[in-house]
Amino acid sequence: MKRALLITSLMAATALSAAPVSAQGETTEACQPETKPRSAADKKFEEISTAEYDWRVGEMAPNEDSPASAEATLPDVGPKRQAEKLARWTDTLKALDALDVAALSPANKVNYEVYRQQIESLLAEQKYHEYEKPMTADTSFWGDVAGWTRGTFSTAADYENYIAMMQQIPRYYDQQIVNMRAGLKRGFTAPKITLQGRDSEIAAVVDAKSIAASPFYAPFETMPDIIPAAKQAELRQQAQEAIRKDVVPAHQKLLTFMRTEYLPGARTSLAAYDLPDGKAYYRSKIREFVTLDKSPEEIHQIGLDEVAKIKARMFDVMKQVNFQGTLPEFLTFLRTDPQFYVKKPQDLLDRAAWIAKMFDAVSGDYFGRLPRRRFAIKPVPAAIAPYYTGGRGGPGIYLVNTYDLPSRPLYSLPALTLHESAPGHAMQMPLAAENKDLPAFRRDTYISAYGEGWALYSEALGEEMGIYQTPYEVFGMLSYQMWRAARLVVDTGIHTQGWTREQAQQYLLNNTALSKHEVTTEVDRYIAWPGQALSYYMGELTILQDRAKAEKALGEKFNIRAFHDAVLELGSVPLPVVTQRVDQFIKDGGVGPYPDEEK
């Protein structure tokens, strides 16, 4: 659920977008010098990675008895398939261990490093039975399914695939319930405190006043004129039948399970260390989300050090606006003064759009290559907005949370927009997907340390680009930087040092300008999703340190556009690969991957 090839409930429903796996070997081969034939090691690596990635993408393919296309199929998450995944990735890692890595081409050495990190993370998730806890504080498998209702339907085939998907919901939910029961039995559940209100999404489907009022019927309310009226009527009838026979009963069964078994039986402790084999489990999440072998103690200390540095800059801004008082008093002022808040949801969306266009005005000064794909700005769906974060972005979408407007300060909106839209997620992800010089397993997957690190770097870059128009907006950016640095302290504190939920909340309230509502939802997210919050600041630190190294080494030859293009051309990679690429950038005299576009 957390990685799955750009499929995510955090954005409007998107189809599986993996490029044909057969292109992987062709792409890798194309990266080799023409005068140098591929080595046996190259051929073996490409054989291993192509076969496994083909199989991995096939995990989303239809079941034997399903008429649905791959784009509409819910995966098999049953015990047999989980055992197959464990065996497959165990064998794949053994095959990688047996390779002569030194004999790989330069391009494939990078591909090997990226691919191995993916396999190690996938294997660790299977070993620790991550599938028995198929939810975080603001995502869930039923939320993923509900995301299809917000998809784009253009043809009759789109609707037929959607109907076929609805018919699979009972099987899919039954498998998830079996997995969750296994997790309950061994104490591997989401913490109870993070599950408050999560059954409301399920209840909304069960309690709909009519089939036509069901959220799952929404795509059929208005259908494209290109579909003949008779076909529209047929599809609507089929959809109503699927909702009546499959969707509603499956959600009723899930709701009963959640309310009578899962919610009452969920663990009351917060720490990952309290889970089965908890210390090893949390260390595996650090390796997955940070891609560096750091101990919790090291990361906690880095967080404390960075919080102190950012706090010093916060005091400078307070002096700049002539605020007489303490930092907590300034934070209270920011959280309560009406000048920093809007009263209508559309006003927040309008401001976000304005900020996004401000970036467009300077984008050519900082980036040589921009993606072809643009993005929409939409509100977070009402059903999930109360416990959702302030916003989220990705290919084609920037979601802005317009729920509880007094908790959505304008001074934080520029940083949020740069992070979630461009040059953050809604730009980096499409650039990776459009880079045909990368194998598919690099174009279509997401490594949090890189993706979130880049997005957080984008926030800081906004100061250099002139996006922040007032000292308060600069403070909002610093608050967001502080928020991510504080995560290093809070996440490790919760999961390894016995911090309480209230202690974590207070740490964020004391050090950031986040609203109390945001602090509550964020802390619950860290509790339910161990280690993920560490990726942001650790990733940004790597990019900042590598940039400083390049600037020092290249002097006047340093070209910011070339540097950014060099980092972004990688796709989504472990942090050591970023450092290796920047080292090569320095050796190349600061020439980036697209010299003609970087002049």
Side-chain angles (χ1 to χ4, degrees):
M1 182 176 66
K2 306 179 191 68
R3 182 180 291 102
L5 303 170
L6 300 182
I7 292 179
T8 168
S9 63
L10 314 180
M11 306 158 197
T14 56
L16 181 68
S17 58
V21 177
S22 60
Q24 179 186 326
E26 298 163 9
T27 300
T28 306
E29 183 174 0
C31 294
Q32 313 303 317
E34 292 183 8
T35 58
K36 205 172 181 183
R38 289 183 303 159
S39 68
D42 284 321
K43 293 177 181 178
K44 185 63 176 175
F45 169 68
E46 291 165 16
E47 176 187 322
I48 294 167
S49 57
T50 300
E52 182 279 328
Y53 193 68
D54 193 1
W55 174 84
R56 200 191 316 172
V57 172
E59 288 296 292
M60 297 298 292
N63 297 323
E64 302 180 321
D65 56 352
S66 170
S69 73
E71 287 79 4
T73 300
L74 297 174
D76 182 350
V77 295
K80 181 180 177 183
R81 187 59 60 91
Q82 301 299 346
E84 290 172 354
K85 290 180 179 180
L86 178 64
R88 182 63 187 246
W89 289 322
T90 298
D91 291 344
T92 301
L93 191 58
K94 288 179 181 177
L96 292 177
D97 287 339
L99 275 176
D100 182 3
V101 179
L104 293 173
S105 68
N108 267 339
K109 283 179 180 176
V110 176
N111 288 334
Y112 176 90
E113 204 164 336
V114 177
Y115 181 74
R116 185 184 180 93
Q117 196 274 343
Q118 290 183 17
I119 297 301
E120 288 177 343
S121 295
L122 290 166
L123 181 56
E125 289 193 347
Q126 290 305 115
K127 285 182 175 179
Y128 292 106
H129 294 200
E130 194 82 46
Y131 54 85
E132 292 178 357
K133 185 167 61 73
M135 66 191 72
T136 66
D138 58 6
T139 64
S140 62
F141 65 86
W142 61 85
D144 289 343
V145 172
W148 277 89
T149 66
R150 299 183 290 276
T152 300
F153 300 82
S154 303
T155 67
D158 292 336
Y159 286 94
E160 288 167 349
N161 291 337
Y162 175 75
I163 292 167
M165 182 278 293
M166 289 195 290
Q167 292 169 341
Q168 297 170 54
I169 289 177
R171 183 268 305 166
Y172 182 61
Y173 281 19
D174 282 349
Q175 289 180 328
Q176 295 284 13
I177 289 172
V178 168
N179 291 338
M180 293 166 73
R181 279 200 176 109
L184 271 173
K185 187 174 181 180
R186 67 188 188 96
F188 190 78
T189 73
K192 183 179 294 188
I193 192 65
T194 67
L195 297 172
Q196 293 179 333
R198 299 303 305 281
D199 55 342
S200 61
E201 289 175 272
I202 310 168
V205 178
V206 175
D207 297 338
K209 294 182 180 179
S210 66
I211 297 298
S214 170
F216 281 84
Y217 191 72
F220 295 88
E221 292 177 355
T222 304
M223 300 177 70
D225 292 338
I226 193 174
I227 303 175
K231 184 64 174 178
Q232 289 189 26
E234 178 187 344
L235 290 169
R236 287 191 173 104
Q237 190 277 328
Q238 291 174 357
Q240 292 176 10
E241 185 74 2
I243 292 170
R244 182 181 301 108
K245 290 179 59 178
D246 300 308
V247 175
V248 173
H251 280 79
Q252 180 62 71
K253 185 174 182 180
L254 177 62
L255 184 64
T256 300
F257 167 72
M258 289 293 292
R259 287 179 172 174
T260 63
E261 294 184 51
Y262 199 78
L263 295 175
R267 65 188 176 101
T268 56
S269 66
L270 309 181
Y273 270 23
D274 294 336
L275 292 168
D277 202 11
K279 289 186 178 182
Y281 170 72
Y282 187 69
R283 194 64 180 258
S284 79
K285 303 318 286 181
I286 291 177
R287 285 192 293 271
E288 175 183 350
F289 290 120
V290 180
T291 70
L292 301 171
D293 195 18
K294 298 276 187 185
S295 70
E297 293 76 18
E298 287 178 278
I299 294 174
H300 192 85
Q301 188 58 52
I302 290 171
L304 292 172
D305 294 341
E306 292 300 314
V307 163
K309 291 177 186 176
I310 298 168
K311 189 173 288 188
R313 281 209 64 195
M314 286 180 157
F315 286 131
D316 290 340
V317 174
M318 289 170 60
K319 291 178 183 177
Q320 190 176 349
V321 298
N322 297 314
F323 185 84
Q324 305 297 318
T326 64
L327 178 59
E329 289 170 341
F330 187 59
L331 297 177
T332 298
F333 161 68
L334 292 174
R335 292 186 183 111
T336 56
D337 195 294
Q339 68 175 299
F340 301 122
Y341 300 88
V342 297
K343 298 194 180 207
K344 294 187 293 185
Q346 189 60 47
D347 290 342
L348 196 66
L349 296 169
D350 290 348
R351 183 68 71 92
W354 177 262
I355 295 164
K357 293 306 293 181
M358 288 176 65
F359 166 73
D360 284 350
V362 298
S363 59
D365 297 330
Y366 290 87
F367 300 90
R369 177 164 291 189
L370 298 170
R372 292 177 59 85
R373 186 169 187 181
R374 316 318 298 155
F375 60 88
I377 300 176
K378 296 182 179 181
V380 172
I384 60 175
Y387 50 83
Y388 207 69
T389 54
R392 227 164 270 185
I397 189 72
Y398 167 31
L399 293 174
V400 179
N401 200 332
T402 57
Y403 171 81
D404 189 22
L405 289 174
S407 69
R408 313 297 173 193
L410 294 175
Y411 53 78
S412 295
L413 195 58
L416 177 69
T417 300
L418 293 172
H419 183 112
E420 303 294 351
S421 65
H425 293 318
M427 183 175 121
Q428 179 269 315
M429 288 181 179
L431 271 175
E434 294 168 15
N435 188 351
K436 301 308 179 185
D437 289 334
L438 298 177
F441 67 79
R442 285 176 64 179
R443 290 197 306 269
D444 303 328
T445 55
Y446 185 78
I447 295 177
S448 190
Y450 175 90
E452 300 299 347
W454 172 261
L456 186 51
Y457 169 80
S458 297
E459 295 177 21
L461 186 64
E463 190 171 14
E464 187 177 333
M465 293 189 296
I467 303 299
Y468 303 112
Q469 302 291 293
T470 70
Y472 295 112
E473 290 181 348
V474 172
F475 192 92
M477 179 273 294
L478 291 173
S479 177
Y480 266 32
Q481 296 285 313
M482 176 70 88
W483 171 24
R484 277 44 168 263
R487 284 176 174 179
L488 304 183
V489 181
V490 170
D491 195 282
T492 52
I494 290 169
H495 293 296
T496 73
Q497 298 185 16
W499 279 33
T500 65
R501 182 172 180 250
E502 292 71 25
Q503 186 178 356
Q505 290 172 345
Q506 196 59 52
Y507 190 85
L508 288 181
L509 288 171
N510 289 345
N511 289 289
T512 76
L514 294 174
S515 68
K516 290 183 178 180
H517 177 80
E518 284 184 302
V519 164
T520 300
T521 57
E522 284 300 313
V523 168
D524 286 351
R525 176 183 161 197
Y526 313 151
I527 291 170
W529 201 354
Q532 193 272 345
L534 306 177
S535 57
Y536 298 69
Y537 206 83
M538 296 299 290
E540 183 193 26
L541 277 179
T542 295
I543 297 172
L544 288 172
Q545 290 164 359
D546 287 340
R547 175 177 166 176
K549 178 173 60 177
E551 288 175 330
K552 182 178 180 180
L554 295 169
E556 292 183 357
K557 291 183 178 180
F558 180 80
N559 182 325
I560 188 63
R561 285 156 48 110
F563 172 80
H564 287 153
D565 287 348
V567 173
L568 286 170
E569 72 156 343
L570 294 170
S572 192
V573 299
L575 296 180
V577 174
V578 176
T579 299
Q580 292 168 19
R581 179 63 183 93
V582 174
D583 287 343
Q584 185 62 49
F585 175 72
I586 295 170
K587 288 179 183 178
D588 293 341
V591 178
Y594 320 114
D596 292 340
E597 299 172 12
E598 291 157 358
K599 293 177 181 177

